[in-house]
Amino acid sequence: MGSLVFRIAGGGSSTCADGSWVSGKVGSYALEFNGTDEYVTAGTDINGDFTSKLTVAAWVKPGLAGNDNHVIAGQWNYGTSKRGWELRLIDSTGKIEVGATRNGTWTTPYLATQATTALSADTWYHVVAVYDCSTSPATPKIYINGSAETLSSNTSTGVNFDIGGNVAGGNITLTLGAYWYNSSTVEHFDGNIDEVGVWNVVLDSGAIGELY
């Protein structure tokens, strides 16, 4: 299925800031986030594994509370211009969005695209985002419950993730449930997240169907 560079499932050992283990969609446990100040970090060990291709998958059960967006996973620090990629739920639409910046900086274009399906609160969904940045323009895809979504228009042309040592100012911590703004976290996820996987390859529809 390609090179899996990060995975967290029930009972994982990543650093948890107040998140709670609860009954999961797959296996025994999932992470529950309160939408206010909880998140999980996986460190910077996977930096440098992404240059032009990325797949990120997770089971999510959103609460859709509040008036902010909800980050599922990403390597992103808005305040310090350390920006790679993010997968989040847009609060105003209930839709999944995936975005990235070229070469990890804000001075170059940001590419983002949204799925068509609006998620409902308190319901489990399998969400997958795929970026193939080896071609220009980049070709993002979003799958929900194993099916490819019709996407909104891209906001930029080709993007190279390039989020290893070449990121402006240093490496970016992989974070679940929020993204970083300087030394604080924002856009906290409200709900449950289970079975997160990140690959440095583009998984095809067959492999994504197996995950679902």
Side-chain angles (χ1 to χ4, degrees):
M1 190 178 285
S3 300
L4 177 68
V5 298
F6 173 78
R7 179 174 181 266
I8 186 168
S13 59
S14 295
T15 301
C16 190
D18 298 323
S20 303
W21 291 109
V22 297
S23 296
K25 173 64 177 178
V26 179
S28 300
Y29 299 101
L31 283 163
E32 182 179 55
F33 300 94
N34 63 7
T36 303
D37 57 6
E38 296 178 342
Y39 63 92
V40 166
T41 62
T44 58
D45 292 344
I46 69 170
N47 281 304
D49 286 317
F50 307 110
T51 55
S52 63
K53 297 181 180 181
L54 169 75
T55 302
V56 55
W59 280 97
V60 299
K61 183 181 178 183
L64 293 176
N67 298 306
D68 204 352
N69 299 322
H70 306 272
V71 174
I72 298 168
Q75 288 180 278
W76 195 270
N77 191 321
Y78 187 91
T80 61
S81 297
K82 299 177 186 178
R83 300 180 176 105
W85 61 272
E86 62 177 348
L87 175 67
R88 63 182 181 175
L89 179 64
I90 303 301
D91 183 79
S92 60
T93 64
K95 297 177 181 180
I96 294 294
E97 179 182 272
V98 60
T101 56
R102 182 182 292 115
N103 298 323
T105 68
W106 191 247
T107 57
T108 49
Y110 174 73
L111 187 153
T113 187
Q114 286 187 25
T116 301
T117 299
L119 307 192
S120 299
D122 300 319
T123 301
W124 281 106
Y125 296 89
H126 190 248
V127 175
V128 181
V130 173
Y131 258 130
D132 184 357
C133 306
S134 61
T135 60
S136 183
T139 53
K141 295 181 181 179
I142 296 175
Y143 295 80
I144 296 179
N145 291 343
S147 298
E149 288 281 298
T150 300
L151 303 182
S152 62
S153 298
N154 300 336
T155 60
S156 177
T157 56
V159 170
N160 188 328
F161 283 96
D162 198 12
I163 59 173
N166 293 327
V167 173
N171 292 327
I172 312 174
T173 298
L174 173 62
T175 304
L176 311 182
Y179 77 75
W180 290 88
Y181 193 106
N182 293 317
S183 59
S184 300
T185 51
V186 296
E187 294 197 3
H188 296 89
F189 189 84
D190 172 54
N192 298 353
I193 300 177
D194 196 4
E195 287 290 321
V196 180
V198 183
W199 294 257
N200 61 359
V201 296
V202 172
L203 297 187
D204 61 23
S205 59
I208 290 169
E210 292 179 16
L211 293 175
Y212 173 61

